Amino acid sequence: MSNKDKETLGTILRDVRVLIENEARRSRGKLLVSPEVAEMLEWVRMPRPPQDMPETGVLEYPDAVERLAALGEVEDEVRACTKCGLCRNRTKTVFGVGNPNAEIVFVGEAPGADEDRQGLPFVGRAGQLLTDIIVKGMKRRREDVYICNVIKCRPPENRDPSPEEVFYCEPYLLRQLEIIQPKVICALGRIAAQTLLKNTTPIGRLRGRWYAYHGIPLRVTYHPAYILRFEPNPERFKEEKRKVWDDVKEILKVLDGNAPAIG
Ligand code: SF4
């Protein structure tokens, strides 16, 4: 097995381990796994992060257990939620994934078709581009951050969420943020940004400055799906990715301890 394959396997096993532990904590019980699986999971107890990446992750955080349990309770509520009409056509609710102690929370607008099927945010090609931004740009692992949407059920035909749907669903996001207490929120795309900031300003004008969302510094950047639209045009694709990189650099400064100039 090549080193890259080993690294990929390690990442998958770490994710599986976190999922199993989340499930066990949520149900406040034990989950039985075979000795072979237990041995494999033990193997990832001491992950070897890629060079120059910090050794972080859910298992190292002292109060992750409480936060996971609190997030699990909100997730249970979301799963049973029928507050707006989007509950009628959903396959699965899409609550959010990641580190309950994350320094940064990425917030998109709403699940698409793949997310609705899998119950996970940012899967597919847009999800892969987001992973590249996190891993290559921010030098963090995807499991170090938290990723979710404002709206937890898929709007039909991927239409923009209505104000009523935002009204009913946004409190779940607020509760997620209260539990996680990130240093920074990154709003991905026009709809997420306008919804969180309660305005209709074009995204090009929303970028480039810091805002506060319920006291948490917030930065706006483009949605990965928007960036992917330019893939057939390499020059434009590069240009749009560079804009995201500019946003990421500002976020990294704040994660490194610099105070954001809000307003
Ligand atoms: S979109 Fe939000 S408010 Fe509407 S049913 Fe789904 S979880 Fe409930």
Side-chain angles (χ1 to χ4, degrees), residues 126-140:
Q128 183 54 52
L129 183 52
L130 179 59
T131 303
D132 286 350
I133 292 165
I134 295 163
V135 175
K136 294 180 188 163
M138 305 184 81
K139 302 285 185 244
R140 278 154 173 85

Side-chain angles (χ1 to χ4, degrees), residues 103-104 138 140 183-184 250-258:
E103 290 185 320
I104 177 163
M138 305 184 81
R140 278 154 173 85
K183 283 187 188 167
V184 172
E250 293 305 312
I251 289 172
L252 286 172
K253 284 182 199 166
V254 172
L255 293 181
D256 284 344
N258 294 293

